[in-house]
Amino acid sequence: MTTNPLPSDKALVPFVSVDHMMQLIHHIGIEPMLCGLADYIEADFKRWQLFDKTPRVASHSAEGVIELMPTSDGEVYGFKYVNGHPKNTAEGLQTVTAFGLLANVGNGYPVLLSEMTLLTALRTAATSALVARTLAPQNARTMAMIGNGAQSEFQSLAMKAICGVREIRLYDTDPKATQKCATNLAGLGLSVTPCTSAQEAILGAQIITTCTADKQYATILSDNMIGAGVHINAIGGDCPGKTELAAAILHRADIFVEYPEQTRIEGEIQQLDPAHPVTEIWQVLTGQAKGRTSDKQITLFDSVGFAIEDFSALRYVRDQLETTRLFHPLDLLADPDDPRDLFGMLQRAI
Amino acid sequence: MTTNPLPSDKALVPFVSVDHMMQLIHHIGIEPMLCGLADYIEADFKRWQLFDKTPRVASHSAEGVIELMPTSDGEVYGFKYVNGHPKNTAEGLQTVTAFGLLANVGNGYPVLLSEMTLLTALRTAATSALVARTLAPQNARTMAMIGNGAQSEFQSLAMKAICGVREIRLYDTDPKATQKCATNLAGLGLSVTPCTSAQEAILGAQIITTCTADKQYATILSDNMIGAGVHINAIGGDCPGKTELAAAILHRADIFVEYPEQTRIEGEIQQLDPAHPVTEIWQVLTGQAKGRTSDKQITLFDSVGFAIEDFSALRYVRDQLETTRLFHPLDLLADPDDPRDLFGMLQRAI
């Protein structure tokens, strides 16, 4: 048996490994990359109505969930595979891992396969900062970061790069997580203040980000903690039964979401009546709906993550490949000389 | 910038490329592999009720369709990405390409990524032959193969290996396709007879397989062509608007399907009333429903392909990896030392 001759370009799909993604982030720089991702996400949110949108396809088990998140703009199709297994951390595994794919709608051929564990962390932070730039009070310079896990540094740097935040006030129930985050952020141009309570963390903060894990109907923020004129960026409430905010806060806030059909199942607003009014963020970005209208207003971005953000992130990565060459060609697709002769291709490999 | 140290085993997913799949098929032998796949498919059909079953998630466009086909048995999760673009052949591309993935339900980590263009061809043929072994008349030795495209050789060899078929009678509207199939099958232990019409091809055949492409409501088999005591294996009718058999045949046949919810949309029975009785093939395999009950009966397997068949095929491939080592380890998953410290992993790669 001999190995088949090298497959043609038609058979090869560019693959961005975790190692290549890390190289790409360092090559571009994390803050410029967060800005670039936010630009791609904003561009796709502004053409929201072009996209095929469906709630994710979830396979639930006792231990967690595996989801497929597909979307298409009519020319390019994308999907993300992502799991969520809260108990993984105890076994030294990631709670969330992900990979994604882009394909050509015209012929169905994949054009990019990419790791998305890192990329999802970046796109989540870029989306948060894009929305905060739109909704937070003018001249917001201080963010409280409640929950100092895997997402916290990315959130902090995105808010710095995209919204001009200069001070981050950290709090986590686990002081080691706060210490890890503070250490990671040292020397990156932010003033970082570790705090010993959520109450302390929100002092003077115009932006409050909550990103905690693995709590059923937790109350990370209670009603009395939230004064007028703040923007709340709530990320951790992202599946049925998992919320972070007291319902009373939701009733005082103007609520902005990605895709209501999904957020009403997975977000903070699962605590509210299904008819409670929310504003879709794409409508704010296109000028069809109002964002912040007064200094006193509490704005809340109830973020659960949506397939279009992954699509935008994959588009961004694909557009970097030609100049950076940070990918492997993957022999994923059969490529017979005659498309009807798959068997002949197989026999020629003997 | 230096390259990151090699990722740990946790971060690596075995990847079976097209080249490795070809090597695997030749290593095992195509007929033993078809038999092995049929055994895995039969085993999974016999535990049908354990599986999560949903119709595929399809993204349709003017040019074709891209589908995700997920399923799970509670311990292992699998999905296949597959496109269908009839016009691709004219551009030297495959009409159908596919890849698939298995993951551990317990922690959501992928355990196999594999090409599935070749594997889908094999599993489709193995499924057809598994069902024909159950439903075709005793001692069926002759099959008419109508439509001599990419699936035809695999069908022929599966029917030989699994059902004892000895003669294949070929017909295609394109004589070049018939010639290609006859050439490919030469010397493989089958008597092969090229025919110039479908009528000629079905002479003396106890099994009639139809697998033609790209026709809207075609009539490959008309009512007067089908006598008593045959088994029809209809593969080509596999999407809305695409059928191969005259409706009158369906009314004379006992119809067997994989998953009625999907077959009523995509299969031959889209021509029938939604209440027309059909039998699920898993019920025949478990003895809960009858298969062939008389020599005179016309049995019809209205096959559209189902996610569980892909799941079985991926399971089979995964079980060959340890002994054959025919895979590449793919750096698909981020693997920080501390799962909460994704940012730290990134910074250590500088």
Side-chain angles (χ1 to χ4, degrees), chain B residues 157-185:
Chain B
L157 290 174
M159 293 291 182
K160 169 176 180 275
I162 294 164
C163 303
V165 161
R166 291 292 168 260
E167 181 185 3
I168 306 289
R169 300 176 64 81
L170 300 176
Y171 173 67
D172 195 291
T173 52
D174 179 358
K176 284 183 198 151
T178 301
Q179 183 55 51
K180 173 226 51 160
C181 182
T183 302
N184 280 336
L185 290 176

PDB file of all heavy atoms in Angstrom, chain B residues 157-185:
ATOM      1  N   LEU B 157     -20.955  -3.854  -3.898  1.00  0.00           N
ATOM      2  CA  LEU B 157     -20.088  -4.666  -3.043  1.00  0.00           C
ATOM      3  C   LEU B 157     -20.744  -4.967  -1.698  1.00  0.00           C
ATOM      4  O   LEU B 157     -20.534  -6.046  -1.122  1.00  0.00           O
ATOM      5  CB  LEU B 157     -18.742  -3.971  -2.848  1.00  0.00           C
ATOM      6  CG  LEU B 157     -17.875  -3.936  -4.114  1.00  0.00           C
ATOM      7  CD1 LEU B 157     -16.633  -3.101  -3.881  1.00  0.00           C
ATOM      8  CD2 LEU B 157     -17.508  -5.346  -4.584  1.00  0.00           C
ATOM      9  N   ALA B 158     -21.545  -4.033  -1.188  1.00  0.00           N
ATOM     10  CA  ALA B 158     -22.241  -4.303   0.073  1.00  0.00           C
ATOM     11  C   ALA B 158     -23.271  -5.410  -0.115  1.00  0.00           C
ATOM     12  O   ALA B 158     -23.413  -6.304   0.733  1.00  0.00           O
ATOM     13  CB  ALA B 158     -22.904  -3.029   0.590  1.00  0.00           C
ATOM     14  N   MET B 159     -24.000  -5.369  -1.235  1.00  0.00           N
ATOM     15  CA  MET B 159     -24.994  -6.411  -1.491  1.00  0.00           C
ATOM     16  C   MET B 159     -24.317  -7.766  -1.694  1.00  0.00           C
ATOM     17  O   MET B 159     -24.851  -8.810  -1.300  1.00  0.00           O
ATOM     18  CB  MET B 159     -25.838  -6.048  -2.720  1.00  0.00           C
ATOM     19  CG  MET B 159     -26.734  -4.839  -2.515  1.00  0.00           C
ATOM     20  SD  MET B 159     -28.100  -5.152  -1.347  1.00  0.00           S
ATOM     21  CE  MET B 159     -28.948  -3.549  -1.423  1.00  0.00           C
ATOM     22  N   LYS B 160     -23.117  -7.754  -2.274  1.00  0.00           N
ATOM     23  CA  LYS B 160     -22.349  -9.003  -2.413  1.00  0.00           C
ATOM     24  C   LYS B 160     -21.929  -9.520  -1.035  1.00  0.00           C
ATOM     25  O   LYS B 160     -22.174 -10.679  -0.672  1.00  0.00           O
ATOM     26  CB  LYS B 160     -21.112  -8.764  -3.284  1.00  0.00           C
ATOM     27  CG  LYS B 160     -20.101  -9.906  -3.300  1.00  0.00           C
ATOM     28  CD  LYS B 160     -18.953  -9.611  -4.274  1.00  0.00           C
ATOM     29  CE  LYS B 160     -17.937 -10.747  -4.309  1.00  0.00           C
ATOM     30  NZ  LYS B 160     -16.914 -10.654  -3.262  1.00  0.00           N
ATOM     31  N   ALA B 161     -21.318  -8.657  -0.250  1.00  0.00           N
ATOM     32  CA  ALA B 161     -20.715  -9.099   1.011  1.00  0.00           C
ATOM     33  C   ALA B 161     -21.768  -9.456   2.050  1.00  0.00           C
ATOM     34  O   ALA B 161     -21.574 -10.366   2.856  1.00  0.00           O
ATOM     35  CB  ALA B 161     -19.792  -8.009   1.551  1.00  0.00           C
ATOM     36  N   ILE B 162     -22.872  -8.738   2.049  1.00  0.00           N
ATOM     37  CA  ILE B 162     -23.840  -8.867   3.145  1.00  0.00           C
ATOM     38  C   ILE B 162     -25.065  -9.700   2.766  1.00  0.00           C
ATOM     39  O   ILE B 162     -25.659 -10.368   3.609  1.00  0.00           O
ATOM     40  CB  ILE B 162     -24.233  -7.452   3.649  1.00  0.00           C
ATOM     41  CG1 ILE B 162     -23.003  -6.786   4.294  1.00  0.00           C
ATOM     42  CG2 ILE B 162     -25.417  -7.471   4.618  1.00  0.00           C
ATOM     43  CD1 ILE B 162     -23.087  -5.303   4.490  1.00  0.00           C
ATOM     44  N   CYS B 163     -25.446  -9.692   1.461  1.00  0.00           N
ATOM     45  CA  CYS B 163     -26.661 -10.414   1.043  1.00  0.00           C
ATOM     46  C   CYS B 163     -26.378 -11.579   0.104  1.00  0.00           C
ATOM     47  O   CYS B 163     -27.314 -12.259  -0.309  1.00  0.00           O
ATOM     48  CB  CYS B 163     -27.619  -9.465   0.327  1.00  0.00           C
ATOM     49  SG  CYS B 163     -28.077  -8.047   1.311  1.00  0.00           S
ATOM     50  N   GLY B 164     -25.140 -11.766  -0.301  1.00  0.00           N
ATOM     51  CA  GLY B 164     -24.846 -12.866  -1.212  1.00  0.00           C
ATOM     52  C   GLY B 164     -25.221 -12.615  -2.662  1.00  0.00           C
ATOM     53  O   GLY B 164     -25.325 -13.564  -3.455  1.00  0.00           O
ATOM     54  N   VAL B 165     -25.403 -11.353  -3.053  1.00  0.00           N
ATOM     55  CA  VAL B 165     -25.689 -11.046  -4.465  1.00  0.00           C
ATOM     56  C   VAL B 165     -24.474 -11.413  -5.316  1.00  0.00           C
ATOM     57  O   VAL B 165     -23.325 -11.211  -4.890  1.00  0.00           O
ATOM     58  CB  VAL B 165     -26.059  -9.545  -4.618  1.00  0.00           C
ATOM     59  CG1 VAL B 165     -25.902  -9.074  -6.066  1.00  0.00           C
ATOM     60  CG2 VAL B 165     -27.478  -9.313  -4.116  1.00  0.00           C
ATOM     61  N   ARG B 166     -24.738 -11.983  -6.499  1.00  0.00           N
ATOM     62  CA  ARG B 166     -23.640 -12.418  -7.373  1.00  0.00           C
ATOM     63  C   ARG B 166     -23.633 -11.696  -8.723  1.00  0.00           C
ATOM     64  O   ARG B 166     -22.601 -11.632  -9.389  1.00  0.00           O
ATOM     65  CB  ARG B 166     -23.735 -13.938  -7.620  1.00  0.00           C
ATOM     66  CG  ARG B 166     -23.431 -14.767  -6.369  1.00  0.00           C
ATOM     67  CD  ARG B 166     -21.958 -14.644  -5.979  1.00  0.00           C
ATOM     68  NE  ARG B 166     -21.696 -15.183  -4.641  1.00  0.00           N
ATOM     69  CZ  ARG B 166     -21.571 -14.432  -3.553  1.00  0.00           C
ATOM     70  NH1 ARG B 166     -21.685 -13.108  -3.632  1.00  0.00           N
ATOM     71  NH2 ARG B 166     -21.315 -14.970  -2.381  1.00  0.00           N
ATOM     72  N   GLU B 167     -24.808 -11.198  -9.171  1.00  0.00           N
ATOM     73  CA  GLU B 167     -24.872 -10.508 -10.465  1.00  0.00           C
ATOM     74  C   GLU B 167     -25.416  -9.102 -10.283  1.00  0.00           C
ATOM     75  O   GLU B 167     -26.415  -8.899  -9.579  1.00  0.00           O
ATOM     76  CB  GLU B 167     -25.774 -11.266 -11.455  1.00  0.00           C
ATOM     77  CG  GLU B 167     -25.818 -10.547 -12.807  1.00  0.00           C
ATOM     78  CD  GLU B 167     -26.779 -11.147 -13.842  1.00  0.00           C
ATOM     79  OE1 GLU B 167     -27.476 -12.123 -13.501  1.00  0.00           O
ATOM     80  OE2 GLU B 167     -26.820 -10.621 -14.965  1.00  0.00           O
ATOM     81  N   ILE B 168     -24.747  -8.150 -10.937  1.00  0.00           N
ATOM     82  CA  ILE B 168     -25.195  -6.750 -10.911  1.00  0.00           C
ATOM     83  C   ILE B 168     -25.535  -6.357 -12.351  1.00  0.00           C
ATOM     84  O   ILE B 168     -24.718  -6.515 -13.256  1.00  0.00           O
ATOM     85  CB  ILE B 168     -24.090  -5.811 -10.375  1.00  0.00           C
ATOM     86  CG1 ILE B 168     -23.581  -6.268  -9.006  1.00  0.00           C
ATOM     87  CG2 ILE B 168     -24.595  -4.370 -10.341  1.00  0.00           C
ATOM     88  CD1 ILE B 168     -24.537  -6.069  -7.858  1.00  0.00           C
ATOM     89  N   ARG B 169     -26.743  -5.821 -12.521  1.00  0.00           N
ATOM     90  CA  ARG B 169     -27.185  -5.372 -13.846  1.00  0.00           C
ATOM     91  C   ARG B 169     -27.255  -3.842 -13.805  1.00  0.00           C
ATOM     92  O   ARG B 169     -28.050  -3.262 -13.070  1.00  0.00           O
ATOM     93  CB  ARG B 169     -28.529  -5.990 -14.189  1.00  0.00           C
ATOM     94  CG  ARG B 169     -28.470  -7.532 -14.218  1.00  0.00           C
ATOM     95  CD  ARG B 169     -29.824  -8.160 -14.470  1.00  0.00           C
ATOM     96  NE  ARG B 169     -30.364  -7.828 -15.780  1.00  0.00           N
ATOM     97  CZ  ARG B 169     -30.025  -8.424 -16.922  1.00  0.00           C
ATOM     98  NH1 ARG B 169     -29.115  -9.402 -16.930  1.00  0.00           N
ATOM     99  NH2 ARG B 169     -30.562  -8.050 -18.078  1.00  0.00           N
ATOM    100  N   LEU B 170     -26.401  -3.214 -14.600  1.00  0.00           N
ATOM    101  CA  LEU B 170     -26.200  -1.766 -14.508  1.00  0.00           C
ATOM    102  C   LEU B 170     -27.005  -1.001 -15.541  1.00  0.00           C
ATOM    103  O   LEU B 170     -27.064  -1.403 -16.704  1.00  0.00           O
ATOM    104  CB  LEU B 170     -24.718  -1.432 -14.726  1.00  0.00           C
ATOM    105  CG  LEU B 170     -23.704  -2.028 -13.761  1.00  0.00           C
ATOM    106  CD1 LEU B 170     -22.287  -1.665 -14.213  1.00  0.00           C
ATOM    107  CD2 LEU B 170     -23.956  -1.520 -12.343  1.00  0.00           C
ATOM    108  N   TYR B 171     -27.582   0.116 -15.117  1.00  0.00           N
ATOM    109  CA  TYR B 171     -28.150   1.044 -16.106  1.00  0.00           C
ATOM    110  C   TYR B 171     -28.021   2.470 -15.598  1.00  0.00           C
ATOM    111  O   TYR B 171     -28.242   2.757 -14.415  1.00  0.00           O
ATOM    112  CB  TYR B 171     -29.627   0.758 -16.405  1.00  0.00           C
ATOM    113  CG  TYR B 171     -30.199   1.835 -17.281  1.00  0.00           C
ATOM    114  CD1 TYR B 171     -29.765   1.982 -18.605  1.00  0.00           C
ATOM    115  CD2 TYR B 171     -31.110   2.777 -16.772  1.00  0.00           C
ATOM    116  CE1 TYR B 171     -30.235   3.023 -19.402  1.00  0.00           C
ATOM    117  CE2 TYR B 171     -31.581   3.811 -17.564  1.00  0.00           C
ATOM    118  CZ  TYR B 171     -31.140   3.930 -18.879  1.00  0.00           C
ATOM    119  OH  TYR B 171     -31.581   4.970 -19.653  1.00  0.00           O
ATOM    120  N   ASP B 172     -27.677   3.358 -16.527  1.00  0.00           N
ATOM    121  CA  ASP B 172     -27.635   4.795 -16.253  1.00  0.00           C
ATOM    122  C   ASP B 172     -28.001   5.507 -17.551  1.00  0.00           C
ATOM    123  O   ASP B 172     -27.711   5.009 -18.639  1.00  0.00           O
ATOM    124  CB  ASP B 172     -26.216   5.202 -15.797  1.00  0.00           C
ATOM    125  CG  ASP B 172     -26.185   6.575 -15.146  1.00  0.00           C
ATOM    126  OD1 ASP B 172     -26.389   7.592 -15.859  1.00  0.00           O
ATOM    127  OD2 ASP B 172     -25.950   6.648 -13.920  1.00  0.00           O
ATOM    128  N   THR B 173     -28.616   6.673 -17.442  1.00  0.00           N
ATOM    129  CA  THR B 173     -28.920   7.438 -18.662  1.00  0.00           C
ATOM    130  C   THR B 173     -27.631   7.837 -19.368  1.00  0.00           C
ATOM    131  O   THR B 173     -27.637   8.070 -20.576  1.00  0.00           O
ATOM    132  CB  THR B 173     -29.728   8.710 -18.326  1.00  0.00           C
ATOM    133  OG1 THR B 173     -29.038   9.432 -17.292  1.00  0.00           O
ATOM    134  CG2 THR B 173     -31.129   8.352 -17.840  1.00  0.00           C
ATOM    135  N   ASP B 174     -26.524   7.898 -18.633  1.00  0.00           N
ATOM    136  CA  ASP B 174     -25.221   8.213 -19.231  1.00  0.00           C
ATOM    137  C   ASP B 174     -24.409   6.926 -19.349  1.00  0.00           C
ATOM    138  O   ASP B 174     -23.946   6.389 -18.331  1.00  0.00           O
ATOM    139  CB  ASP B 174     -24.495   9.235 -18.347  1.00  0.00           C
ATOM    140  CG  ASP B 174     -23.114   9.582 -18.912  1.00  0.00           C
ATOM    141  OD1 ASP B 174     -22.708   9.006 -19.945  1.00  0.00           O
ATOM    142  OD2 ASP B 174     -22.450  10.438 -18.295  1.00  0.00           O
ATOM    143  N   PRO B 175     -24.207   6.417 -20.576  1.00  0.00           N
ATOM    144  CA  PRO B 175     -23.457   5.155 -20.733  1.00  0.00           C
ATOM    145  C   PRO B 175     -22.048   5.223 -20.150  1.00  0.00           C
ATOM    146  O   PRO B 175     -21.495   4.211 -19.728  1.00  0.00           O
ATOM    147  CB  PRO B 175     -23.402   4.952 -22.258  1.00  0.00           C
ATOM    148  CG  PRO B 175     -24.484   5.829 -22.813  1.00  0.00           C
ATOM    149  CD  PRO B 175     -24.646   6.971 -21.865  1.00  0.00           C
ATOM    150  N   LYS B 176     -21.467   6.421 -20.101  1.00  0.00           N
ATOM    151  CA  LYS B 176     -20.127   6.545 -19.524  1.00  0.00           C
ATOM    152  C   LYS B 176     -20.130   6.193 -18.035  1.00  0.00           C
ATOM    153  O   LYS B 176     -19.146   5.655 -17.511  1.00  0.00           O
ATOM    154  CB  LYS B 176     -19.593   7.971 -19.698  1.00  0.00           C
ATOM    155  CG  LYS B 176     -19.127   8.272 -21.106  1.00  0.00           C
ATOM    156  CD  LYS B 176     -18.551   9.693 -21.160  1.00  0.00           C
ATOM    157  CE  LYS B 176     -18.471  10.195 -22.601  1.00  0.00           C
ATOM    158  NZ  LYS B 176     -18.602  11.658 -22.677  1.00  0.00           N
ATOM    159  N   ALA B 177     -21.205   6.531 -17.362  1.00  0.00           N
ATOM    160  CA  ALA B 177     -21.300   6.191 -15.935  1.00  0.00           C
ATOM    161  C   ALA B 177     -21.363   4.673 -15.770  1.00  0.00           C
ATOM    162  O   ALA B 177     -20.710   4.094 -14.899  1.00  0.00           O
ATOM    163  CB  ALA B 177     -22.524   6.862 -15.308  1.00  0.00           C
ATOM    164  N   THR B 178     -22.147   4.020 -16.632  1.00  0.00           N
ATOM    165  CA  THR B 178     -22.247   2.559 -16.578  1.00  0.00           C
ATOM    166  C   THR B 178     -20.875   1.929 -16.843  1.00  0.00           C
ATOM    167  O   THR B 178     -20.458   0.995 -16.146  1.00  0.00           O
ATOM    168  CB  THR B 178     -23.274   2.064 -17.614  1.00  0.00           C
ATOM    169  OG1 THR B 178     -24.537   2.667 -17.305  1.00  0.00           O
ATOM    170  CG2 THR B 178     -23.410   0.550 -17.589  1.00  0.00           C
ATOM    171  N   GLN B 179     -20.177   2.460 -17.847  1.00  0.00           N
ATOM    172  CA  GLN B 179     -18.856   1.934 -18.183  1.00  0.00           C
ATOM    173  C   GLN B 179     -17.887   2.101 -17.013  1.00  0.00           C
ATOM    174  O   GLN B 179     -17.129   1.194 -16.663  1.00  0.00           O
ATOM    175  CB  GLN B 179     -18.325   2.667 -19.428  1.00  0.00           C
ATOM    176  CG  GLN B 179     -16.981   2.146 -19.918  1.00  0.00           C
ATOM    177  CD  GLN B 179     -17.020   0.636 -20.172  1.00  0.00           C
ATOM    178  OE1 GLN B 179     -17.903   0.140 -20.874  1.00  0.00           O
ATOM    179  NE2 GLN B 179     -16.085  -0.116 -19.566  1.00  0.00           N
ATOM    180  N   LYS B 180     -17.938   3.276 -16.375  1.00  0.00           N
ATOM    181  CA  LYS B 180     -17.080   3.543 -15.202  1.00  0.00           C
ATOM    182  C   LYS B 180     -17.359   2.528 -14.101  1.00  0.00           C
ATOM    183  O   LYS B 180     -16.451   1.930 -13.521  1.00  0.00           O
ATOM    184  CB  LYS B 180     -17.342   4.969 -14.690  1.00  0.00           C
ATOM    185  CG  LYS B 180     -16.637   5.299 -13.398  1.00  0.00           C
ATOM    186  CD  LYS B 180     -17.497   6.005 -12.330  1.00  0.00           C
ATOM    187  CE  LYS B 180     -18.803   5.350 -12.020  1.00  0.00           C
ATOM    188  NZ  LYS B 180     -19.414   5.727 -10.723  1.00  0.00           N
ATOM    189  N   CYS B 181     -18.641   2.280 -13.829  1.00  0.00           N
ATOM    190  CA  CYS B 181     -19.011   1.356 -12.754  1.00  0.00           C
ATOM    191  C   CYS B 181     -18.569  -0.064 -13.100  1.00  0.00           C
ATOM    192  O   CYS B 181     -18.006  -0.780 -12.255  1.00  0.00           O
ATOM    193  CB  CYS B 181     -20.515   1.435 -12.514  1.00  0.00           C
ATOM    194  SG  CYS B 181     -21.075   0.377 -11.165  1.00  0.00           S
ATOM    195  N   ALA B 182     -18.820  -0.472 -14.352  1.00  0.00           N
ATOM    196  CA  ALA B 182     -18.437  -1.827 -14.772  1.00  0.00           C
ATOM    197  C   ALA B 182     -16.922  -2.022 -14.670  1.00  0.00           C
ATOM    198  O   ALA B 182     -16.433  -3.056 -14.203  1.00  0.00           O
ATOM    199  CB  ALA B 182     -18.906  -2.083 -16.211  1.00  0.00           C
ATOM    200  N   THR B 183     -16.167  -1.011 -15.088  1.00  0.00           N
ATOM    201  CA  THR B 183     -14.707  -1.082 -15.005  1.00  0.00           C
ATOM    202  C   THR B 183     -14.252  -1.194 -13.552  1.00  0.00           C
ATOM    203  O   THR B 183     -13.395  -2.011 -13.204  1.00  0.00           O
ATOM    204  CB  THR B 183     -14.085   0.167 -15.660  1.00  0.00           C
ATOM    205  OG1 THR B 183     -14.530   0.245 -17.012  1.00  0.00           O
ATOM    206  CG2 THR B 183     -12.558   0.106 -15.615  1.00  0.00           C
ATOM    207  N   ASN B 184     -14.849  -0.366 -12.693  1.00  0.00           N
ATOM    208  CA  ASN B 184     -14.456  -0.378 -11.283  1.00  0.00           C
ATOM    209  C   ASN B 184     -14.770  -1.719 -10.612  1.00  0.00           C
ATOM    210  O   ASN B 184     -14.055  -2.137  -9.692  1.00  0.00           O
ATOM    211  CB  ASN B 184     -15.160   0.743 -10.513  1.00  0.00           C
ATOM    212  CG  ASN B 184     -14.490   2.098 -10.709  1.00  0.00           C
ATOM    213  OD1 ASN B 184     -13.305   2.190 -11.018  1.00  0.00           O
ATOM    214  ND2 ASN B 184     -15.257   3.169 -10.539  1.00  0.00           N
ATOM    215  N   LEU B 185     -15.855  -2.384 -11.054  1.00  0.00           N
ATOM    216  CA  LEU B 185     -16.268  -3.633 -10.412  1.00  0.00           C
ATOM    217  C   LEU B 185     -15.572  -4.862 -10.997  1.00  0.00           C
ATOM    218  O   LEU B 185     -15.683  -5.965 -10.445  1.00  0.00           O
ATOM    219  CB  LEU B 185     -17.787  -3.803 -10.508  1.00  0.00           C
ATOM    220  CG  LEU B 185     -18.629  -2.842  -9.662  1.00  0.00           C
ATOM    221  CD1 LEU B 185     -20.119  -3.059  -9.928  1.00  0.00           C
ATOM    222  CD2 LEU B 185     -18.330  -3.009  -8.170  1.00  0.00           C
TER     223      LEU B 185
END
